[in-house]
Amino acid sequence: MSLSYKPVKINTNPADITVTAEQFRPTAINYIARINGARGPYDQRIAESLIQSIQNQGIKEISKFDFELLANQFFNILHFGPITNLELFMTENCNLACNYCFVRGKRPKTMSWKNIIASINFLVFYSGDKQLLNLTLFGGEPLLEKENIFRIVDYVEKLEAHAGNKRLSISLTTNGTLITEEVLKRTKGKINFLLSIDGNEETHNASRKYKDGRGSFKKIVSKINLLKKYQPWLGARMTITPETVHLLCNNVIYLYSLGINQFLMGLAMDLEWNNKALKTYEEQLLKVGKFYISEKKSGQPMRIILFEKDMKGIECHEHQWGCGAGRNTISVNTNGDIYPCSKFLGYEEFENDALKLGNIHDGITNIELRVKMSQITNDSFPGCASCNEINACMGGCPADNYYLNRNLYKPGKAHCDLKKIDNRVLRALNNDLDKL
């Protein structure tokens, strides 16, 4: 591995001491041993590789701060692989008060421009030799910070020119109420907007309300035609609750009729799913699947990620449990602290050092947590050993698991019940799905 580029600006401390070429080796070994918790042959091999890479660039001396940041990057990439996805928490604030939002106790905290730049640089810096990177602007409602979003678009253009072969894809999850023609023009088609909308007016307004109790449905729907003018392919993030699950198929058909092309259907896992709600979900999901198959057979522009999964692949997850959180994906909060994903930092109870990976100015230093997130297999879930779905399940969302059970490796009951339904429906539709 070679450090073939430097970020636009490493966060150098001008008062920092200088590390000379003779000090590279002991400084590298000591730093890597410190964050890794042990000194051993593996630490020394990583240190030697780091030194060789620095010397290949003709660097004879470097500030200790920058040297340790390079060592942190080198250690993490070699040990865990590159980071290619960054979720940027632009603000904790929101103009809505959705009753199932995982961002607990919203506060008017926003990310400074300094931390925004440092976070984007961090993604490029820790991406190793990967060329295609993903930046997701998240919140709260990120469009409350629209001026900084415009600046991000300009900055990414300059960064791509500076970083050579790196390309950053930007997406933004929004409740849609603040979308305007100005926003769409000034983002220059560089941002893919994902709309949070749950279905028809009854379904959507049951949860997605303004702070004064008004429903947000009419405001959001009024923006769809404008959004599609600039972004013809439009995705929706639907949140499904036990109270609205009976309308799931009708809601998908309705949103599709409005011009939504892609559906990310998220289940509210921290709510109680009784037997009646579970039965209804299975019936509705089967109907959605049949509608999807019908539309795809006729060549219509539609995607539902759940139905694009190959059951053969799903049933061999022995070594692919968990998601990308803390592996190739990180999330950064308004303070610049790094978490495995946005859900971890959304739950305010998680804002503690045990579940924080590090900080964008110092690197990823909680190696124990990164090991836990990166080495999840079905063996990590002893409570799942007797489950028939053990090889067709990815162990649940680690953040949900921890929120519900204070254990990364213990899924909640709702996950287990709903995952079994997903798999039963996929198996029932498998022959038709294979023909698409």
Side-chain angles (χ1 to χ4, degrees), residues 163-267:
N165 60 357
K166 301 289 180 181
R167 292 294 174 264
L168 276 74
S169 171
I170 311 174
S171 60
L172 185 151
T173 300
T174 175
N175 63 38
T177 60
L178 301 178
I179 288 175
T180 62
E181 190 126 28
E182 179 204 19
V183 166
L184 298 171
K185 283 182 176 179
R186 292 189 61 184
T187 51
K188 309 175 186 178
K190 301 290 186 180
I191 293 181
N192 182 59
F193 291 89
L194 179 65
L195 199 60
S196 294
I197 183 169
D198 293 343
N200 63 19
E201 187 166 7
E202 174 190 351
T203 301
H204 184 88
N205 284 346
S207 298
R208 294 188 176 275
K209 301 175 183 179
Y210 285 96
K211 294 175 182 178
D212 62 6
R214 290 177 297 124
S216 60
F217 176 81
K218 289 181 179 177
K219 185 72 169 178
I220 295 170
V221 168
S222 71
K223 307 285 186 173
I224 290 178
N225 286 340
L226 174 62
L227 190 48
K228 285 187 71 71
K229 174 183 171 184
Y230 289 85
Q231 182 183 305
W233 184 274
L234 183 58
R237 181 184 293 276
M238 297 175 66
T239 300
I240 305 164
T241 71
E243 290 72 28
T244 62
V245 69
H246 63 289
L247 295 170
L248 175 57
C249 187
N250 285 341
N251 284 330
V252 170
I253 294 171
Y254 175 71
L255 292 178
Y256 185 59
S257 74
L258 294 181
I260 302 295
N261 305 99
Q262 186 167 343
F263 296 83
L264 284 74
M265 300 186 296
L267 296 153

Side-chain angles (χ1 to χ4, degrees), residues 394-413:
M394 298 176 72
C397 167
D400 284 343
N401 294 351
Y402 195 87
Y403 176 71
L404 295 170
N405 299 308
R406 289 300 183 266
N407 188 329
L408 294 169
Y409 310 132
K410 186 178 180 181
K413 183 179 183 301

Side-chain angles (χ1 to χ4, degrees), residues 322-351:
C323 57
R327 295 176 174 177
N328 64 346
T329 298
I330 58 169
S331 188
V332 179
N333 73 3
T334 54
N335 297 327
D337 294 327
I338 302 168
Y339 288 83
C341 77
S342 55
K343 267 203 169 183
F344 274 96
L345 62 87
Y347 293 133
E348 62 181 347
E349 298 96 321
F350 292 176
E351 291 190 1

Side-chain angles (χ1 to χ4, degrees), residues 360-411:
I360 50 172
H361 301 293
D362 301 315
I364 295 175
T365 52
N366 188 345
I367 303 305
E368 181 181 358
L369 176 60
R370 190 133 199 237
V371 168
K372 287 180 180 179
M373 299 300 300
S374 299
Q375 296 182 0
I376 296 177
T377 68
N378 57 9
D379 294 331
S380 307
F381 295 76
C384 302
S386 61
C387 179
N388 293 332
E389 298 290 336
I390 187 168
N391 291 329
C393 174
M394 298 176 72
C397 167
D400 284 343
N401 294 351
Y402 195 87
Y403 176 71
L404 295 170
N405 299 308
R406 289 300 183 266
N407 188 329
L408 294 169
Y409 310 132
K410 186 178 180 181

Side-chain angles (χ1 to χ4, degrees), residues 9 135 159 178 180 273 302 312 323 369 411:
K9 184 178 188 303
L135 172 65
L159 183 62
L178 301 178
T180 62
W273 287 81
M302 185 184 198
K312 293 178 182 177
C323 57
L369 176 60

Side-chain angles (χ1 to χ4, degrees), residues 18-28 67:
T18 298
V19 179
T20 61
E22 307 85 65
Q23 298 169 313
F24 284 172
R25 182 168 286 100
T27 305
F67 184 88

